[in-house]
Amino acid sequence: MGFLTNKKALIVGVASSRSIAWGIAQAMKKEGADLALTYQSEKLQSRVEKLASECGTDIILPCDVSSDEQIEMLFTRLNGYWNHLDIIIHSVAFAHRNQLQGNYLENLTREGFLTAHEISSYSFSALAKAGRTMMQGRNGALLTLSYLGAERTIPNYNVMGVAKASLEANVRYMATSLGPEGLRVNAISAGPIKTLAASGIDNFNKFLTYSEHNTPLRRNVTIDEVGNVAAFLCSDLASGITGEIIYVDNGYHIIGMGE
């Protein structure tokens, strides 16, 4: 029996078998959780349906987090399957590709800034607002994914770093807001992983190479390692942890100067 047995988890952001959200889904399934997955568009539906079958769930629901109507409908539909919810995983981030290359200010636009913040930060709050009724009385957990670019400048990360900083502040304010209801809110700051989203960042392979050579463990982190920490943070084993940003980056964040 796993430490998430009888927990019901909604995972928003599975896009492929390389996505961090998929690593989280696999870890939570292994620990006994019941899962529901979302897909962002019809283009991704069949791919997510295939992954859902691999983790033993037939709850696959559409949700474009840029739409409040779709977010509300997500929980209306989910309530048709479950009468409560214990966990929400938010693994969603987006910025236009031209915002993720070159000089930050030279490429920054108002539209690009707003889009990055709306999808990468605000959507976490929107999911919490829409889902909190299903989580009442559950001592549940909400979790999102960040990156070190929220704290330090990273080449080409640009507006996404600013959006991730917003997301990390969001975690703290949400934790304070939802804490009296018994709900915990945390984030994982993962090391660089070659996901579909990361492929939009210019020279991302250089991130991976530099990280591999300079982390204390001399390797890059995997989606399975991130998934295991996510499962722990959303379990009763972590009942005293909220408002935190937990690093799963093989120790890269402690390094002052790389080789």
Side-chain angles (χ1 to χ4, degrees), residues 99-104 107 154-163:
Q99 304 287 293
L100 302 176
Q101 49 192 226
N103 183 280
Y104 170 58
N107 292 313
I154 303 290
N156 300 314
Y157 202 58
N158 295 353
V159 73
M160 186 56 73
V162 184

Side-chain angles (χ1 to χ4, degrees), residues 15-79:
S16 77
S17 59
R18 291 189 297 162
S19 65
I20 294 175
W22 177 237
I24 294 173
Q26 289 180 299
M28 290 191 163
K29 182 63 180 179
K30 181 176 67 176
E31 294 301 335
D34 297 321
L35 305 181
L37 308 182
T38 72
Y39 59 91
Q40 190 265 339
S41 64
E42 290 183 2
K43 181 179 178 181
L44 293 174
Q45 181 176 357
S46 61
R47 184 185 300 169
V48 176
E49 286 175 344
K50 180 180 178 182
L51 293 172
S53 68
E54 290 183 29
C55 59
T57 183
D58 59 357
I59 307 177
I60 311 104
L61 301 169
C63 184
D64 179 345
V65 297
S66 68
S67 165
D68 287 333
E69 291 75 17
Q70 286 206 32
I71 290 174
E72 290 289 344
M73 184 57 67
L74 167 65
F75 289 99
T76 298
R77 290 172 172 168
L78 187 61
N79 197 48

Side-chain angles (χ1 to χ4, degrees), residues 72 125 135 160 213 219 239:
E72 290 289 344
S125 308
M135 300 185 79
M160 186 56 73
H213 290 155
R219 62 180 177 82
S239 60

